Amino acid sequence: MGLATSRRGRSRLLPRTVRGRSAAAAALAMTLVLAAGGGWLYVILRANLLDNANGRTELAAREVAARADAGPLPSLLPAPRSGVDVVLVLDPRGTVVATSRPSAGPLAREFAALRPQPGQDAASKVLCCSRAMNGERGDVVVVRATPAPGEERYVYALTVLNDVDDATHAIALGLLGGAPPLIALAAAIAWAVTGLALRPVTAIRTELAAVTASELDRRVPDPAGGDEVAALARTVNATLDRLEQAVARQRQFVADASHELRNPVAAVRSQLEVALAAAARPDHRSGHGTACRTGCSTDCRTDCRTDCRTDCPTSGAVRAALADTVRLQHVAADLLLLARLDARVPTGTGEPVDLALLAAEEAARRPATRVPLTVTAVAPVPMRGRSGQLERLVANLVDNALRHAASRVEVSAFLDETAGQAVLEVADDGPGIAADQRERVFERFVRLDAARDRESGGSGLGLAIAREIAHAHGGSLVVAPGGGGARLVARFPLPDGQPGKPGTRPGAL
């Protein structure tokens, strides 16, 4: 649990995009390089400056020691050269013998403890925060002098390290001040280079997102070259080729199967209708003790009390078979229409269509419905499209509403001026559609009422066909929320240049 939490915390700290991660990695790498390189440079330069200062200080001390070896020294020595600040000479007891600075007593007491090791003639030390040096840092070198007639002398030379400290401080400030711009520059270069490298990936992603079931012919751009991005583009295009071929084969199969089913189903339907028509003729019975000409399995009595037109078991079976055949014929027609809609064959802008007139004509074709059907449209609702398909959309929506309505179905057609759309609404007062089922209801062969069987309900293709027709016309079909029952709203774009006109619905057709 703790490990997973820590991993999630680290993932939140990391940038989400590849460009961001690349820029962060470049900034981190530059930071490490500057830290390591800058630290190394600082140490090397400081050591070099200290070595130079120590060499000058030792040289000044040895010059005075050589003079001490040659003879007595004056009590006040001349000022040393090469940036050395003080030179003084002490005897073995620490008494000042000679000095280049008056009042060198405090320095003599500070330096007296520093002596060369046995077998060596020189020693050095960096003193820090000494009162005798006013808190400054200094490099002290002591050289042993051995005059021939007298006792040993110790020559001390002091170089204050202010220049060294100032130089190293300037180097440190330069490194610290130059690091942020260099880090930012590295991150910006990584961001720009990664963006250029990923630009084909962005184009591939954008084009791939635009591929839909109706636009499987689209392909992602293939960048020139043989890098990984180009290989990815070719692989994606090859996958899209296979997907398009598979979907095309599936659609062709559905279209072929539906088309091939139409003729035999139509023939069966015709035969059944002929059989029922023959059973309904007055001359259907031919005499006593003979079987009915329609093939009724029950021999009619001598008085022919069995009426084959109504009571014959075979006649009822023929009616049921005819109903199933009609249903099968409708399903085959629906599948064929869906296959054609899936193919998305370009149809141009279509012909002028009045959506309000289509709704009124659909109501006129249904003079006696189970519940009242009302159409409301106070003005024409012109648009462009294929009238046959739009008629099918209106019919499917009305069929669905009549199947589930409790007491009424209302159809409204109007223009939405604000959105510039033609709108068709079909509402009923039935049980409605749950919010989580408002998209699923448009799936093929989906019937939300689990208790409804295939005998009494629809095939589950009506709303799917209606939505595909709406999409084919550049519109939409959704289940609108609110109110009792279900309210399905279809919207279609108006032709260019056609002004929208707000539709009111005070009256009914």
Side-chain angles (χ1 to χ4, degrees):
M1 182 69 177
L3 181 60
T5 303
S6 64
R7 287 178 178 175
R8 286 195 297 269
R10 287 196 298 269
S11 64
R12 284 195 294 267
L13 294 177
L14 294 176
R16 292 182 175 272
T17 63
V18 175
R19 297 182 72 182
R21 295 192 192 102
S22 300
L28 179 60
M30 180 59 74
T31 302
L32 295 177
V33 169
L34 290 176
W40 175 81
L41 179 63
Y42 179 84
V43 170
I44 293 298
L45 289 177
R46 183 177 179 82
N48 188 33
L49 292 173
L50 287 175
D51 287 343
N52 291 335
N54 184 264
R56 294 195 306 269
T57 306
E58 184 177 353
L59 179 61
R62 287 190 182 279
E63 289 178 351
V64 175
R67 292 174 59 188
D69 290 341
L73 296 172
S75 60
L76 183 61
L77 298 173
R81 297 172 300 173
S82 303
V84 179
D85 293 282
V86 179
V87 175
L88 59 87
V89 182
L90 302 180
D91 60 16
R93 293 175 298 279
T95 303
V96 177
V97 177
T99 180
S100 63
R101 178 189 295 179
S103 303
L107 289 176
R109 291 189 294 271
E110 189 74 27
F111 297 164
L114 178 63
R115 299 291 170 87
Q117 296 293 328
Q120 299 179 354
D121 64 344
S124 64
K125 182 180 181 181
V126 176
L127 299 179
C128 181
C129 304
S130 172
R131 290 184 178 180
M133 298 170 57
N134 298 323
E136 296 177 334
R137 295 172 67 252
D139 183 38
V140 180
V141 177
V142 58
V143 176
R144 183 186 289 113
T146 54
E151 60 182 353
E152 292 181 342
R153 298 286 187 268
Y154 296 98
V155 181
Y156 293 88
L158 169 66
T159 299
V160 177
L161 298 177
N162 286 342
D163 293 342
V164 175
D165 291 342
D166 290 343
T168 54
H169 183 67
I171 293 172
L173 288 180
L175 292 174
L176 292 177
L182 290 176
I183 293 172
L185 178 62
I189 292 175
W191 178 275
V193 172
T194 306
L196 291 176
L198 292 179
R199 183 175 297 173
V201 177
T202 302
I204 291 172
R205 179 185 59 81
T206 303
E207 189 66 23
L208 192 59
V211 175
T212 61
S214 60
E215 297 182 352
L216 288 176
D217 57 333
R218 303 187 67 154
R219 295 296 180 267
V220 301
D222 187 355
D227 57 3
E228 292 82 357
V229 177
L232 174 64
R234 297 187 187 102
T235 302
V236 170
N237 284 335
T239 303
L240 290 176
D241 288 340
R242 295 193 297 270
L243 179 60
E244 183 182 16
Q245 293 171 5
V247 173
R249 287 194 297 267
Q250 179 185 8
R251 290 173 177 172
Q252 189 62 39
F253 169 78
V254 173
D256 292 344
S258 302
H259 186 271
E260 292 300 325
L261 283 174
R262 294 178 69 184
N263 291 336
V265 170
V268 172
R269 178 178 179 179
S270 299
Q271 294 175 7
L272 293 174
E273 289 176 345
V274 168
L276 286 178
R281 291 200 302 269
D283 60 347
H284 173 64
R285 289 168 289 184
S286 60
H288 300 293
T290 61
C292 298
R293 291 180 181 176
T294 58
C296 178
S297 60
T298 303
D299 290 337
C300 298
R301 303 297 182 183
T302 56
D303 56 356
C304 205
R305 288 171 296 181
T306 301
D307 186 354
C308 292
R309 288 172 293 176
T310 56
D311 300 331
C312 180
T314 302
S315 179
V318 170
R319 289 192 181 90
L322 178 59
D324 289 339
T325 303
V326 172
R327 180 186 180 85
L328 181 59
Q329 191 175 26
H330 290 166
V331 171
D334 290 346
L335 289 175
L336 183 58
L337 177 58
L338 277 174
R340 291 172 177 171
L341 291 173
D342 287 340
R344 287 292 195 274
V345 178
T347 58
T349 58
E351 57 189 10
V353 178
D354 185 356
L355 201 58
L357 181 59
L358 292 181
E361 290 176 348
E362 181 63 28
R365 282 192 290 267
R366 303 169 184 264
T369 55
R370 183 179 61 86
V371 296
L373 173 61
T374 303
V375 176
T376 303
V378 297
V381 184
M383 58 172 289
R384 297 192 71 88
R386 303 187 68 178
S387 59
Q389 292 185 1
L390 293 173
E391 288 176 1
R392 183 62 182 276
L393 179 145
V394 176
N396 286 4
L397 295 183
V398 172
D399 284 341
N400 179 77
L402 289 174
R403 186 177 297 115
H404 300 96
S407 61
R408 58 182 174 82
V409 172
E410 296 179 355
V411 180
S412 304
F414 60 95
L415 291 175
D416 186 344
E417 182 183 30
T418 303
Q421 295 174 331
V423 183
L424 175 71
E425 292 186 3
V426 180
D428 64 71
D429 59 349
I433 301 174
D436 58 344
Q437 301 291 329
R438 288 174 182 167
E439 281 300 315
R440 184 170 176 266
V441 74
F442 294 104
E443 296 178 7
R444 300 174 185 185
F445 296 106
V446 169
R447 291 142 47 99
L448 300 183
D449 189 358
R452 188 179 59 201
D453 57 22
R454 301 257 177 200
E455 298 293 332
S456 59
S459 63
L461 292 174
L463 293 183
I465 292 174
R467 170 169 276 193
E468 291 296 334
I469 293 174
H471 289 173
H473 286 76
S476 63
L477 176 62
V478 297
V479 179
R487 184 164 64 95
L488 283 84
V489 180
R491 292 179 174 269
F492 303 95
L494 296 177
D496 294 338
Q498 177 178 324
K501 191 183 301 180
T504 58
R505 291 163 281 175
L509 294 179

